Amino acid sequence: ELAPAYAAKAEVLYNVLDVDDIRRKASQPLLDDFTQHANKIVTLGRLLPQKGIDIAVKAAARLRRRGMGFLWLVLGEGDQRAELETMIRDYGLEQYFMLKGRVDNPYPYIGAADIYVQPSRYEGYSLALQEARILAKPVIASDIPSSHEQITDGHDGILVHPDETALAEGIGRLLDKALRDALSSNLRGERFDYDDQVRHLLSLIDGAKRG
């Protein structure tokens, strides 16, 4: 759209994921008690302002003020850790919102979660969101352009404005098991097949060699 003169020379190729490997890794057991908690929430992302983890902390505080119980794990590391830890202490969320840090295999946590949350202020095409969808997790994501490439609001996820009020409202909606089950069922019916992407990439490479 920005450079129409080059439209005929532009192609979009999405990152290729190993669906079987993601599902296999998700089946591995967890070594902590995460699965024993009610209302399990997971976010995967670096601790950076663009990822909106501070928005998530504030949303968690709003949920606690309503008396909701949950355990929200954030898997990832980054420069914002100290600031976020201070926020968590100030809101009294130590038992409800935890910065798990980087984990070698995040998929069992995503697989065990009741809700996957992506609160980014801005984002490219999110692999973490794609991975959660592959594992048929009910998703809440920020209503930003990249999310629309993966989520149809109300069908296979919920899109919310990237602020704590909207995020808390979305999570509150997904505490309804019937809605979570409906979203998961729709995701299980989706096709996650990257063979077409691989074939298209190979054809582009082959065409470049011939050219």
Side-chain angles (χ1 to χ4, degrees):
E1 292 176 355
L2 294 174
Y6 297 96
K9 299 182 179 181
E11 297 280 354
V12 176
L13 293 174
Y14 292 103
N15 290 326
V16 174
L17 299 179
D18 188 333
V19 174
D20 291 336
D21 189 54
I22 289 170
R23 290 172 175 159
R24 178 184 62 80
K25 288 180 177 177
S27 69
Q28 296 179 9
L30 290 171
L31 301 179
D32 55 32
D33 65 350
F34 181 61
T35 58
Q36 300 175 24
H37 290 267
N39 300 324
K40 300 174 290 295
I41 304 172
V42 167
T43 294
L44 178 61
R46 293 168 292 161
L47 307 183
L48 299 173
Q50 78 175 74
K51 296 297 184 179
I53 308 302
D54 57 313
I55 297 173
V57 175
K58 293 175 184 177
R62 295 180 73 91
L63 293 172
R64 283 302 301 146
R65 287 196 292 270
R66 300 178 193 173
M68 294 181 182
F70 55 88
L71 178 57
W72 192 334
L73 295 186
V74 177
L75 312 179
E77 199 50 82
D79 296 340
Q80 207 179 13
R81 171 176 277 276
E83 175 187 340
L84 294 170
E85 287 176 338
T86 298
M87 289 180 64
I88 291 167
R89 287 193 299 270
D90 289 346
Y91 284 117
L93 294 171
E94 293 93 335
Q95 301 302 313
Y96 303 94
F97 195 102
M98 300 182 183
L99 305 178
K100 187 75 174 175
R102 184 185 180 279
V103 295
D104 291 333
N105 180 12
Y107 302 121
Y109 287 100
I110 299 174
D114 297 304
I115 303 170
Y116 181 84
V117 176
Q118 196 78 24
S120 305
R121 289 183 169 88
Y122 56 93
E123 187 84 56
Y125 189 85
S126 172
L127 293 184
L129 192 58
Q130 182 76 337
E131 290 161 347
R133 294 175 63 243
I134 286 170
L135 296 175
K137 290 293 107 179
V139 166
I140 297 176
S142 297
D143 190 358
I144 54 178
S146 60
S147 296
H148 288 269
E149 294 188 68
Q150 299 196 51
I151 298 295
T152 300
D153 187 34
H155 175 74
D156 51 9
I158 294 176
L159 298 178
V160 298
H161 191 271
D163 64 54
E164 60 268 23
T165 302
L167 184 57
E169 289 296 330
I171 292 172
R173 286 178 61 194
L174 275 188
L175 292 181
D176 176 1
K177 187 176 184 300
L179 178 56
R180 294 202 309 268
D181 289 347
L183 297 179
S184 292
S185 177
N186 290 337
L187 283 165
R188 282 191 289 271
E190 291 188 10
R191 178 174 173 265
F192 297 100
D193 183 353
Y194 298 92
D195 289 347
D196 289 345
Q197 293 288 302
V198 173
R199 283 192 290 269
H200 190 43
L201 174 60
L202 293 175
S203 69
L204 290 174
I205 294 172
D206 186 54
K209 288 179 178 178
R210 291 198 304 270

